[in-house]
Amino acid sequence: MPLQGHEAFDLNELLLSCVNSINCMGFFKNHATDAQLKQMLEKHMDAHIRDYNMKVEWATKQQCKQTLSVPAMPAKMTQAQPPTPQPVTPKPDASNLDDRAIATSYLLTLKRAGREYAWAAFEASDPQLRQFLEDAFRMNSRHALEVSQWMTQKGYYPTEPASNTYLLQLAKIYQPVQEMAGVH
């Protein structure tokens, strides 16, 4: 059965997004100086190329026999003391990108693509296409977590634990509901 019009339109936007992501990742991996960042980009690049090729198959054959491998969830980052946040200033006349700019651009690309995958998955009427889009979302989500953890460790992506006062307020406000038998 051919794709629905909205599925084909979403697929076109996602393919264009993949072209952009892969082009940027190629540039990024050739300009990254941090070995861990470079290795992450190289590892992720293979997954994004496979994802792109699967979308091409969907666009040309209205089906795809392959399944996308979703990477394992990265382990929760543990740090005794978060690093001092590193200041940043935009560089309107930049002629190159440092590792922070590369990671920031890649992270924002992953987040935006993830939102697009989720939206397209909700709209897909073909169960196999929906599964592919859900897997692509999960792949992007896990890649984004890995990048954000690297950025946090470098002090490029500040995080802060919620205060005990706030957490206690949440615990007082929200109470569990008795689950209903037979409801799924």
Side-chain angles (χ1 to χ4, degrees), residues 30-153:
N30 289 322
H31 289 84
T33 59
D34 181 276
Q36 187 180 5
L37 177 60
K38 187 175 187 118
Q39 180 183 28
M40 189 181 348
L41 287 163
E42 289 170 346
K43 178 179 70 170
H44 291 185
M45 174 83 84
D46 291 338
H48 287 275
I49 289 172
R50 181 180 174 110
D51 170 61
Y52 170 80
N53 287 335
M54 290 174 71
K55 282 189 204 70
V56 169
E57 189 172 338
W58 272 105
T60 58
K61 298 178 182 174
Q62 286 74 58
Q63 64 177 349
C64 182
K65 303 285 186 204
Q66 305 173 62
T67 57
L68 188 62
S69 297
V70 178
M73 181 71 73
K76 185 174 182 175
M77 188 174 67
T78 56
Q79 287 183 308
Q81 182 69 10
T84 303
Q86 300 299 307
V88 66
T89 303
K91 298 175 186 168
D93 60 347
S95 59
N96 64 348
L97 299 175
D98 61 14
D99 289 337
R100 182 183 193 161
I102 288 170
T104 300
S105 181
Y106 181 43
L107 177 62
L108 294 175
T109 297
L110 289 166
K111 287 180 170 187
R112 192 227 10 97
R115 285 189 299 268
E116 296 301 318
Y117 281 124
W119 187 262
F122 276 115
E123 298 299 321
S125 56
D126 181 297
Q128 187 182 5
L129 177 59
R130 184 178 281 239
Q131 181 65 58
F132 166 68
L133 295 168
E134 289 173 355
D135 290 346
F137 165 80
R138 291 185 313 134
M139 178 190 77
N140 271 274
S141 174
R142 292 172 184 187
H143 287 176
L145 179 57
E146 193 174 351
V147 175
S148 68
Q149 287 179 341
W150 179 87
M151 292 179 72
T152 299
Q153 291 170 343

Side-chain angles (χ1 to χ4, degrees), residues 175-181:
Q175 301 300 312
V177 173
Q178 182 74 28
E179 292 187 29
M180 298 169 57

